[in-house]
Amino acid sequence: MTPTTREVATTWFKALAEGDLDTALGCLADDVEWINYDIVPGYNDAMAWIGTYRGRDQVLETFKTFGGVVEVNHEELVDLVVDGEKAMGVIYERSTVRETGRVFEIEFIQALTVRNGRIVRWKSYTDPSQILRALKRD
């Protein structure tokens, strides 16, 4: 039986909160469309992990890039809304930028589209100002 959108979303968010990358990647379709913010040159391009990617391998690379720059101290699902094949999770994250030692706290939304028991589209929304401030080396 194919997992429901709620089951896939719950598994996804739980895996991320626990740092279980294998389980998280297993929730993704092979050709997942991954949109991690829109790049705005001169504004948020210091966030080396953002952009639009396709497929699990590219998503894994963005996770590796993010993990090389940022240590996630705490992540939790604050709210989850599911309607048909769509799910939206509100996430609270507290992390430290490795190079600067600066901590940032954000809430962001992950919008998922689930078909045939896998996430086929993922898009993230947030105000990146706290992240960008923590990345600054001044």
Side-chain angles (χ1 to χ4, degrees):
M1 183 143 92
T2 303
T4 66
T5 299
R6 181 172 298 280
E7 290 168 338
V8 172
T10 301
T11 299
W12 168 257
F13 291 118
K14 182 176 186 283
L16 291 180
E18 294 174 352
D20 182 354
L21 193 54
D22 289 337
T23 298
L25 290 172
C27 292
L28 301 176
D30 292 338
D31 64 344
V32 63
E33 178 184 21
W34 183 269
I35 307 164
N36 197 359
Y37 313 120
D38 293 324
I39 297 173
V40 180
Y43 175 62
N44 64 1
D45 50 359
M47 296 165 48
W49 58 90
I50 68 171
T52 299
Y53 303 94
R54 173 81 58 186
R56 281 190 201 152
D57 290 342
Q58 289 187 359
V59 171
L60 177 58
E61 288 305 311
T62 69
F63 274 116
K64 287 179 181 177
T65 301
F66 178 75
V69 175
V70 173
E71 178 182 353
V72 177
N73 307 117
H74 181 77
E75 181 171 303
E76 72 178 274
L77 179 64
V78 176
D79 197 9
L80 176 63
V81 177
V82 178
D83 184 16
E85 66 179 16
K86 305 286 186 181
M88 296 190 93
V90 178
I91 311 298
Y92 166 78
E93 178 185 320
R94 184 178 61 250
S95 294
T96 304
V97 174
R98 295 180 190 281
E99 187 173 313
T100 66
R102 292 185 178 148
V103 174
F104 64 87
E105 294 182 62
I106 59 169
E107 278 194 346
F108 63 101
I109 294 172
Q110 292 183 20
L112 316 176
T113 302
V114 177
R115 289 191 193 113
N116 300 317
R118 295 281 186 262
I119 298 168
V120 297
R121 186 173 192 273
W122 180 96
K123 187 167 183 178
S124 183
Y125 302 88
T126 195
D127 171 2
S129 58
Q130 295 296 322
I131 302 167
L132 294 170
R133 182 170 57 188
L135 286 168
K136 285 188 179 178
R137 296 178 200 147
D138 54 23

